[in-house]
Amino acid sequence: MATETAAKCPNCALALRPLTHAGVKLDVCLECQGVWLDAGEFEQVVDAKAGIRDRLSSVWTMGKRRCPRGHGWLRQQEVDAGIPVLIDLCAECGGLWLDRHELLRLQSLSKGTSEGLWRVEALEQRVEEAHRHWDQERIGGVEAKSKISIPSYLINLLGLPVEVYHPVRSKPRATYALVVLNVVIFVMQMLSPDGVISELGLIPAVLLQGGAPWTVVTSMFLHGNIVHLIGNMYFLSIFGDNVEDRLGSRQFLALYLVGGLVANVVHVASNFASDIPVIGASGAVSAVLGAYLYFFPQRRLHMTFSFIPLRIRTLWYLGIYLVLQFVFVALGAEGIAWWAHIGGFGLGIAWAAVARHRIRQRISALDAAFGK
């Protein structure tokens, strides 16, 4: 990124950073990922013939944000009556302020071309990449100054890690929804008659004989006891919000579900003659851990060793976790589906790697077409 401009983000009051995209020089905020477009730049970015101002409603209100160019308060106007997309417009210079993802939503309303959609999607990914580099530098500085609190230390004594400083830009709704769903199902499970685990738990021998195929999914949402549930949900909440922040809610949900399915398949393949029901979200949660390791290998976690508080990089913490799964497999430890953890973890790494590769491909293609 080049040097900072004098313009300030209307949302965060931080300096906007210049970013050239598809031959258009834009200004972005790397904190909230909002984009400032001067007059005419929106149409260039989305490759649209119709200007966005032609789609604005006649009703406007004075917003609470100021023009980055120093022209006073921005107006808030709705795009097409009935469509819940509000934009911030400067009446004097004609500039537009768009919050994160608003440009993508507006592109579909602007009669843009398919190439315009490609440009907009690539812009969001380019801003995401710029944010990722900036975020890592900022978080590294905060982590270096952070100290473990008493509540965190007490949690560490239970053998659980605590995040040092891992902010997210939006509410992790999918992560929260999964936690609530698992808790609700556990309560229902406790109130249900005996036999729920034998009916809905995954039994490899039964599955391979063509019986109860639904258990590949239902087993992911059952837990043996409250400790089993709390452990899985704690790790999901700690690591899931950041992974969801990187992937988006829909792709995060897909990762969780596919990760759980792959984990169950790997368990069945490694224990095909077992007649013991397997339950729990551990395989799906392990997929989330694998993705977290790929995305944030240098982030730090608080933990304790012999009552001594430590800060350890994710690469070491989750790397040791993965190695231990193989160790327990080699020792023949029973009672836990170790191979399911390994399968889910591997799927999470692969999923994150593919997601990052697609982003790099789009940005490279854009650079080749328009230059950096």
Side-chain angles (χ1 to χ4, degrees):
M1 302 294 293
T3 57
E4 295 182 355
T5 68
K8 300 290 185 180
C9 171
N11 194 40
C12 307
L14 298 177
L16 297 177
R17 306 292 184 95
L19 181 69
T20 301
H21 178 79
V24 183
K25 292 184 178 180
L26 309 172
D27 296 283
V28 303
C29 174
L30 295 185
E31 171 66 25
C32 66
Q33 294 191 2
V35 180
W36 174 257
L37 301 105
D38 290 312
E41 290 182 344
F42 173 85
E43 292 74 19
Q44 295 179 59
V45 170
V46 303
D47 194 27
K49 296 181 180 179
I52 190 62
R53 290 161 189 81
D54 299 334
R55 310 293 299 274
L56 295 176
S57 67
S58 59
V59 180
W60 60 270
T61 58
M62 192 65 72
K64 298 180 180 180
R65 295 169 171 174
R66 288 186 172 275
C67 173
R69 303 303 183 206
H71 298 140
W73 298 104
L74 297 174
R75 294 179 176 181
Q76 277 199 333
Q77 288 183 262
E78 190 176 68
V79 180
D80 282 1
I83 299 176
V85 180
L86 288 174
I87 65 170
D88 297 279
L89 170 69
C90 178
E92 183 172 341
C93 68
L96 292 173
W97 173 259
L98 299 176
D99 292 316
R100 187 188 182 202
H101 299 321
E102 280 188 345
L103 184 59
L104 188 61
R105 296 169 64 191
L106 287 176
Q107 198 278 341
S108 62
L109 307 175
S110 62
K111 299 180 181 178
T113 63
S114 58
E115 180 179 334
L117 177 60
W118 173 66
R119 290 187 191 183
V120 171
E121 290 176 342
L123 173 59
E124 292 222 333
Q125 292 167 348
R126 173 170 271 166
V127 173
E128 172 71 25
E129 282 290 277
H131 171 87
R132 188 178 65 85
H133 290 294
W134 173 80
D135 200 40
Q136 188 59 48
E137 295 176 1
R138 179 174 64 101
I139 290 175
V142 175
E143 286 179 340
K145 301 176 183 178
S146 66
K147 295 182 179 180
I148 189 169
S149 63
I150 293 179
S152 296
Y153 182 75
L154 295 177
I155 293 175
N156 286 159
L157 292 179
L158 298 175
L160 299 173
V162 176
E163 292 179 299
V164 174
Y165 178 67
H166 299 181
V168 294
R169 293 152 296 166
S170 56
K171 291 183 179 179
R173 292 182 173 85
T175 301
Y176 294 159
L178 287 170
V179 171
V180 171
L181 179 61
N182 276 279
V183 171
V184 169
I185 291 177
F186 179 76
V187 173
M188 295 173 61
Q189 178 186 338
M190 293 297 99
L191 298 176
S192 300
D194 296 337
V196 173
I197 292 179
S198 60
E199 292 178 5
L200 301 180
L202 175 62
I203 303 175
V206 173
L207 182 68
L208 292 177
Q209 292 174 5
W214 58 84
T215 58
V216 177
V217 176
T218 57
S219 62
M220 295 163 49
F221 297 96
L222 302 177
H223 290 85
N225 52 53
I226 189 66
V227 174
H228 188 198
L229 174 71
I230 291 176
N232 277 334
M233 294 307 98
Y234 180 81
F235 278 88
L236 176 59
S237 61
I238 286 290
F239 297 105
D241 56 351
N242 297 105
V243 174
E244 181 181 349
D245 198 48
R246 279 285 184 262
L247 293 176
S249 296
R250 291 183 180 180
Q251 194 174 162
F252 175 77
L253 284 173
L255 165 67
Y256 183 90
L257 295 174
V258 175
L261 290 173
V262 169
N264 282 340
V265 170
V266 172
H267 173 73
V268 170
S270 61
N271 297 271
F272 56 88
S274 174
D275 59 357
I276 301 175
V278 173
I279 59 174
S282 301
V285 173
S286 288
V288 174
L289 300 186
Y292 189 98
L293 174 61
Y294 187 90
F295 285 135
F296 312 107
Q298 301 304 317
R299 296 281 180 90
R300 288 181 172 84
L301 301 167
H302 278 140
M303 61 175 297
T304 59
F305 181 75
S306 297
F307 298 97
I308 300 174
L310 301 173
R311 290 184 302 177
I312 183 172
R313 294 186 186 276
T314 301
L315 180 62
W316 284 103
Y317 186 87
L318 294 181
I320 293 173
Y321 163 84
L322 181 60
V323 169
L324 286 176
Q325 309 310 301
F326 284 104
V327 170
F328 291 132
V329 167
L331 294 175
E334 299 180 352
I336 295 179
W338 307 111
W339 275 113
H341 296 177
I342 295 170
F345 200 93
L347 184 280
I349 292 177
W351 192 292
V354 169
R356 291 280 295 117
H357 178 67
R358 287 177 177 174
I359 291 176
R360 292 192 184 104
Q361 276 190 322
R362 289 202 173 194
I363 292 177
S364 296
L366 195 76
D367 291 340
F370 299 98
K372 297 183 178 180

